[in-house]
């Protein structure tokens, strides 16, 4: 079968290049490999649609870890998955297709079923525990092999969800990772559990996470304040129902950190006042994933008792924060990562019953994946999700 990702020889070459000079498209390639054989609790899915996620950017530039190290880590935690150790790594953590083979212990699913695959790999089927806290938990197509960028993928049967009948294959294959993540971050008791009437500041409002965060706020009755870098992204956020949009390009220069990478308090104060003026109130929750550049400001801007919920660090993971604004103003910083089985199912129901709409605005061909990962990395004008047609 055909697949896209990296091979061991590419990883050796990438790791010799300084990080700042690496680009996702540099070494990504389509290669031929064998069709994986499902184990007892697995299914083989023929992929008809998939989606791009930022984790493929990280894998392609081997930062902070190469796929080889990530998958070796998964196998150390899950010795039964030794078959994931290959000399190639198939990327892709979002996909949809039809089941073409089922393992002996698979229940409730059969050959021909149309499915969406979520990326939480855990060896349990219990719905009443937060399995994101399980020591063996991994993300499919990132910390495990056989991702969605291939003709076929092999996944645990507890990763399967019903495909919403009204969605095309690229739409169905591109929403789950970011919708599930935004759902846990905002709606779940494991995240910020945002309430009706609260104000939520959303970084990267037009991105994959942001465009679902806006819709989740709307669904709950919270007010969203989407931060974007240009007017096209601003219009897009408004079309999704954002209550307020802050277009950074209209605010002059932005320096969250000064030259020594310490908090730029003067700028923080000015920007906080500006945002509070625009919303005529204060921020209760910040939806964070930018990291180093903004985390300190995200804590600072909150009203007393507010919450920052974070799942990522696109600008860098070693962030400086001024702890005085955390403890003296009794705020919380909540870490969040994808979604447990129950949260993934709840998020999928919102798509099935059309409460949340898909945000797949661009559909690309399989061989365009590397170029579009470059665009994501360079923050070019891509909105919502990018779907892949097979
Ligand atoms: P997208 O590329 O779709 O959107 C991110 C948006 O953030 C961009 O559109 C950009 O908007 C804004 N942004 C601001 N500063 C930066 C920066 N320094 N680098 C990149 N983007 C920036 O990505 P996603 O929304 O899908 O994901 C965002 C981050 O969250 C990624 O790091 C990803 O790996 C992580 N993630 C983590 C998950 C988890 O479970 N832990 C799940 C999903 C994603 P603008 O140009 O308008 O400012």
């Amino acid at each position: 079968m055909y697949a896209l990702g990296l091979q061991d020889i590419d990883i050796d070459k990438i790791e010799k290049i300084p990080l700042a000079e690496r680009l996702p498209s540099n070494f990504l390639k389509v290669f031929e490999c064998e069709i994986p054989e499902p184990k007892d609790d697995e299914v083989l899915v023929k992929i008809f649609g998939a989606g791009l996620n930022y984790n493929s950017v990280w894998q392609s530039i081997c930062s902070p870890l190469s796929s080889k190290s990530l998958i070796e880590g998964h196998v150390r935690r899950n010795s039964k998955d030794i078959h994931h150790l290959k000399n190639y790594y198939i990327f892709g953590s979002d996909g949809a297709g039809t089941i073409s083979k089922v393992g002996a212990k698979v229940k409730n699913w059969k050959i021909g079923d149309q499915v969406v695959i979520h990326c939480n790999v855990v060896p349990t089927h219990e719905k009443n525990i937060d399995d994101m806290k399980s020591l063996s938990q991994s993300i499919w197509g990132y910390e495990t092999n056989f991702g969605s960028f291939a003709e076929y993928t092999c996944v645990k049967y507890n990763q399967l969800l019903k495909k919403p009948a009204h969605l095309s294959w690229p739409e169905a294959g591109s929403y789950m990772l970011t919708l599930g993540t935004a759902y846990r971050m905002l709606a779940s008791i494991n995240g910020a559990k945002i309430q009706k009437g609260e104000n939520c500041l959303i970084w990267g409002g037009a991105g994959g996470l942001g465009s679902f965060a806006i819709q989740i706020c709307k669904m709950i009755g919270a007010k969203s304040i989407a931060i974007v870098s240009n007017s096209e992204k601003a219009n897009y956020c408004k079309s999704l129902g954002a209550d307020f949009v802050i277009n950074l390009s209209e605010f002059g220069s932005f320096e969250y950190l000064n030259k020594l990478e310490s908090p730029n308090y003067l700028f923080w104060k000015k920007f906080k006042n500006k945002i509070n003026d625009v919303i005529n109130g204060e921020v209760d929750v910040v939806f964070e994933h930018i990291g180093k550049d903004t985390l300190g400001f995200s804590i600072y801007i909150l009203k007393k008792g507010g919450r920052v919920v974070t799942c990522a660090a696109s600008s860098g993971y070693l962030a400086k924060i001024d702890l005085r604004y955390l403890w003296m103003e009794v705020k919380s910083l909540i870490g969040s990562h994808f979604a447990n089985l129950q949260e993934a199912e709840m998020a999928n129901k919102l798509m099935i019953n059309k409460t949340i709409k898909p945000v797949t605005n661009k559909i690309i061909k399989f061989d365009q994946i590397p170029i579009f990962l470059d665009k994501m990395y360079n923050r070019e004008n891509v909105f919502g999700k990018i779907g892949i047609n097979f």
Side-chain angles (χ1 to χ4, degrees):
M1 68 169 185
Y2 61 82
L4 187 143
L6 290 178
Q7 294 173 306
D8 274 339
I9 41 165
D10 307 311
I11 290 179
D12 293 342
K13 288 183 201 152
I14 295 168
E15 287 181 332
K16 292 194 180 99
I17 301 172
L19 181 57
E21 290 168 26
R22 298 177 199 169
L23 249 194
S25 64
N26 283 163
F27 290 92
L28 275 182
K29 59 164 83 88
V30 180
F31 51 83
E32 282 291 321
C33 59
E34 62 203 10
I35 297 176
E37 187 59 32
K39 307 265 174 219
D40 281 359
D41 63 345
E42 291 180 339
V43 296
L44 186 72
V45 177
K46 179 153 176 58
I47 297 287
F48 288 113
L52 289 196
N53 281 296
Y54 214 94
N55 63 0
S56 301
V57 168
W58 302 126
Q59 284 167 302
S60 311
I61 59 171
C62 297
S63 173
L65 290 172
S66 69
S67 296
K68 183 177 166 61
S69 311
L70 290 165
I71 293 172
E72 283 171 354
H74 171 77
V75 173
R76 270 196 300 279
R77 299 191 302 277
N78 299 274
S79 53
K80 279 196 201 143
D81 282 353
I82 189 137
H83 57 293
H84 285 245
L85 292 180
K86 302 274 182 201
N87 61 1
Y88 56 82
Y89 310 96
I90 305 174
F91 295 1
S93 301
D94 256 329
T98 57
I99 297 178
S100 59
K101 240 185 199 181
V102 292
K105 291 187 187 151
V106 172
K107 295 182 204 130
N108 304 329
W109 297 98
K110 59 179 189 322
I111 292 175
D113 282 350
Q114 299 196 340
V115 293
V116 165
I117 304 164
H118 74 70
C119 63
N120 181 12
V121 181
V122 274
T124 175
H125 292 268
E126 285 181 48
K127 297 266 168 71
N128 57 352
I129 55 158
D130 184 16
D131 49 64
M132 290 310 294
K133 292 176 188 153
S134 156
L135 289 179
S136 55
Q137 191 277 332
S138 290
I139 296 293
W140 164 60
Y142 180 68
E143 293 165 293
T144 72
N145 215 331
F146 318 124
S148 60
F149 296 168
E151 218 174 333
Y152 291 91
T153 185
C154 190
V155 296
K156 309 270 181 216
Y157 78 90
N158 64 356
Q159 285 179 253
L160 302 176
L161 296 165
K162 203 170 162 231
K163 174 189 174 282
H166 63 291
L167 298 190
S168 68
W169 283 116
E171 283 173 334
S174 57
Y175 67 83
M176 195 57 226
L177 187 147
T178 45
L179 173 60
T181 306
Y183 180 87
R184 179 180 172 106
M185 288 173 78
L186 291 177
S188 166
I189 49 162
N190 297 310
K193 195 151 180 45
I194 197 160
Q195 303 294 309
K196 188 173 176 185
E198 287 192 315
N199 291 321
C200 179
L201 184 136
I202 298 169
W203 289 108
L209 286 173
S211 46
F212 285 123
I214 292 171
Q215 295 190 63
I216 289 169
C217 283
K218 204 170 141 84
M219 170 186 92
I220 291 171
K223 291 215 166 80
S224 54
I225 306 133
I227 310 279
V228 293
S229 57
N230 65 42
S231 57
E232 284 165 286
K233 289 185 178 183
N235 290 336
Y236 179 63
C237 291
K238 281 181 204 151
S239 76
L240 291 174
D243 295 279
F244 305 99
V245 181
I246 309 269
N247 175 359
L248 298 178
S249 69
E250 289 171 2
F251 280 78
S253 73
F254 268 80
E255 283 178 12
Y256 302 101
L257 304 175
N258 64 26
K259 289 195 177 61
L260 296 171
E261 304 235 309
S262 288
N264 184 350
Y265 294 111
L266 218 60
F267 170 74
W268 281 14
K269 190 159 189 263
K270 247 174 60 186
F271 195 35
K272 177 176 179 170
N273 289 340
K274 191 87 199 171
I275 291 174
N276 287 353
D277 279 353
V278 169
I279 66 173
N280 194 22
E282 288 184 285
V283 173
D284 300 273
V285 172
V286 176
F287 183 86
E288 246 294 340
H289 49 90
I290 310 295
K292 189 184 93 172
D293 287 351
T294 57
L295 184 67
F297 174 73
S298 293
I299 291 170
Y300 170 83
I301 194 188
L302 284 175
K303 80 174 200 195
K304 273 188 152 190
R307 299 91 82 198
V308 171
V309 58
T310 182
C311 72
S314 300
S315 64
Y317 52 82
L318 292 176
K320 267 190 189 161
I321 58 177
D322 186 332
L323 287 167
R324 293 170 300 172
Y325 295 109
L326 190 76
W327 91 70
M328 292 183 68
E329 299 183 355
V330 290
K331 298 168 179 174
S332 316
L333 176 57
I334 305 161
S336 193
H337 191 39
F338 184 55
N340 63 34
L341 297 183
Q342 199 166 22
E343 290 158 348
E345 211 165 283
M346 305 270 274
N348 198 48
K349 278 194 184 133
L350 297 176
M351 191 57 85
I352 288 177
N353 67 23
K354 302 186 185 174
T355 305
I356 299 284
K357 60 177 183 184
V359 293
T360 314
N361 298 306
K362 178 90 195 158
I363 295 173
I364 61 170
K365 290 188 276 185
F366 191 75
D367 59 4
Q368 292 178 296
I369 293 173
I371 299 300
F372 276 84
L373 288 175
D374 283 357
K375 288 184 191 291
M376 283 180 90
Y377 188 44
N378 293 328
R379 284 169 71 181
E380 283 179 33
N381 243 2
V382 276
F383 314 134
K385 296 299 302 177
I386 298 169
I388 306 153
N389 217 348
F390 279 63

